[in-house]
Amino acid sequence: MSEGPLLTAAGLRVSFPGRRGGPPAHAVDGVDLEIGRGEIVALVGESGCGKTTLARALLGLVPAERGEVAFDGAPLDRTARGLKAYRRQVQLVLQDPRGALNPRHTVYDAVAEGLRIHRVGGDERAAVAEALSQAGLRPPERFLLRCPHELSGGQLQRVVIAGALALGPRLIVADEPVASLDASVRGEILALLLRLRDELGLSALVVTHDLGLAWNMADRVAVMYLGRIVECGTVEDVLTAPRHPYTRALLSVLPESREAPVVLTGEPPDPARIPGGCRFHARCQVLASGEAERAGVADRCRTEALTVLPGAGVACHWAGIGAQTA
């Protein structure tokens, strides 16, 4: 077993065909990212920034145009057999549990599905009951024969999580895992993910637009903008002392923020027509205010692209720490 990160992405790029013969859209454009053993990483950013595409590329669900994914120190085997073995160890938890579950299947069948696909031997009923118990559905016997329409939203999400846990994964990729839940239930699911990390040593990549969620559960935060990670570091570093102007803008509109709200002008650029230089420069409040000009980096902001080192850093000439030329 490798002693390094559990999962590593290097130079990952995912593109989609352009509209009406136009240039391709680079949804993920040269991303470096790592997830440690027993670590929860929150991937945050505006809708459309590439978070979900990156998550699916890490799972091998969408093909990467270039770049590498490594798990436990070994490159991802993209053959059908290799991907099947990999997905037993890296499980996806979707945003909408009602959409993820077959309404005609009982809870038992939903949780046992992965065991059957991967032909896991042993006592199936015991494995399903253990997974339900780990997901907080106790006693599990109360839930085995229920159908999705008989359960609450929080219980449904626990069933989805139990289906992932049944295979004994080492990493969970959770795409907006509490976005469809009532506020009263969100805390319970977040507490569950933290408990699974502490008790099982489970790692997680949590895709979210909610910085409050990242603060409450993550060890590290990666901020994504227009297909790239623009800032990455510990929760304390990124969310209490953000360096990238984009991260500062996202945090400024939170209700508990003490900073004046920063209103970003315009929409993110078209991923098929990414501008040169820092890809945030057209919306950057530091550049617009003249602060970057006074710091002597305005021209570099407009012409020189940066990327972030996998563990921590910021892709910003003005912040200027931990970045390297792309």
Side-chain angles (χ1 to χ4, degrees), residues 98-122:
R98 295 188 186 278
L101 297 173
N102 187 324
R104 297 182 180 180
H105 284 181
T106 64
V107 167
Y108 181 94
D109 288 329
V111 177
E113 183 176 12
L115 297 171
R116 295 167 181 171
I117 290 173
H118 289 273
R119 300 182 180 179
V120 178

Side-chain angles (χ1 to χ4, degrees), residues 279-294:
R279 54 192 59 203
F280 184 62
H281 80 259
R283 305 173 74 199
C284 180
Q285 64 273 22
V286 173
L287 193 61
S289 69
E291 196 169 348
E293 188 76 47
R294 291 189 292 273

Side-chain angles (χ1 to χ4, degrees), residues 94-103 113 148 153 156-157 160 180:
L94 296 171
Q95 172 181 347
D96 179 14
R98 295 188 186 278
L101 297 173
N102 187 324
E113 183 176 12
L156 289 172
Q157 191 63 291
V160 171
S180 63

